[in-house]
Amino acid sequence: MSPAYELTGIRHCYGPRCVIDIPALTIGTGEIFGVVGPSGAGKSTLLRLLNFLEAPTAGHIDYHGDRMTSDVPLAIRRKITTVFQRPMLLRRSVAANIRIGQRIRGSVPKDDTIGQWLDRLGLGALADAPVRTLSAGEAHRVALARALVVNPSVLLLDEPTGNLDSSTSR
């Protein structure tokens, strides 16, 4: 398995507080990798580093063998999708929220693909519902469908089961 990410000497600090200190870490292509720890341990910060929303204070990140700088090309950024702990949804329907990721990436949304993800995530009956009427768990599944419909190379999940009931999170 070739490495998707190679982190070397990564440190990330907010002022005097260093929340990430990783001497070396390799995450393979296709690998399912989890990070656990208490609140404030730097898990969300690590995700922001891996999706290039923030640059590390020190060290470097290689993505598929290429050294990433503070100016990561848009083509690489578009291969990485993140579902955050508190997903941001547009004031539109469920289906419109799922389509938006494809539109931003310049591809034509395919209704059958969107429908498949809606059904797979138990949202089929809610396709036309306004997102403001959804429960926290349903909103989280909409954000997950929006991330998956673009077929990312890397899917980063921050607290992936935080708002889901036990039957949904399996």
Side-chain angles (χ1 to χ4, degrees):
M1 183 181 320
S2 64
Y5 289 98
E6 290 183 279
L7 286 67
T8 307
I10 294 294
R11 289 179 53 84
H12 196 70
C13 303
Y14 296 108
R17 184 173 172 238
C18 189
V19 295
I20 300 270
D21 187 359
I22 302 172
L25 173 65
T26 300
I27 303 171
T29 301
E31 180 176 359
I32 296 173
F33 182 84
V35 178
V36 295
S39 183
K43 301 178 301 292
S44 297
T45 299
L46 178 59
L47 290 180
R48 286 193 300 277
L49 296 177
L50 294 176
N51 70 7
F52 308 115
L53 290 175
E54 293 184 36
T57 305
H60 60 268
I61 299 173
D62 292 347
Y63 178 73
H64 289 286
D66 294 323
R67 178 76 33 96
M68 295 295 111
T69 63
S70 60
D71 187 27
V72 176
L74 184 58
I76 290 175
R77 288 179 189 265
R78 285 185 169 168
K79 293 178 181 182
I80 303 164
T81 302
T82 304
V83 177
F84 292 100
Q85 184 174 359
R86 291 180 196 92
M88 299 299 292
L89 300 176
L90 303 172
R91 292 182 185 178
R92 298 180 182 181
S93 71
V94 167
N97 269 275
I98 295 170
R99 277 189 202 97
I100 197 70
Q102 291 176 306
R103 288 196 176 143
I104 289 171
R105 286 171 167 77
S107 65
V108 178
K110 296 182 176 102
D111 285 334
D112 61 330
T113 304
I114 291 168
Q116 289 170 5
W117 281 114
L118 283 166
D119 290 342
R120 194 166 178 189
L121 294 171
L123 297 165
L126 299 172
D128 296 322
V131 294
R132 63 177 159 58
T133 65
L134 302 178
S135 70
E138 289 166 339
H140 201 86
R141 286 185 281 150
V142 170
L144 183 58
R146 181 177 57 198
L148 292 168
V149 78
V150 299
N151 195 28
S153 296
V154 175
L155 177 62
L156 301 170
L157 305 171
D158 191 4
E159 301 285 347
T161 61
N163 290 318
L164 303 179
D165 54 52
S166 60
S167 65
T168 305
S169 61
R170 288 184 205 150

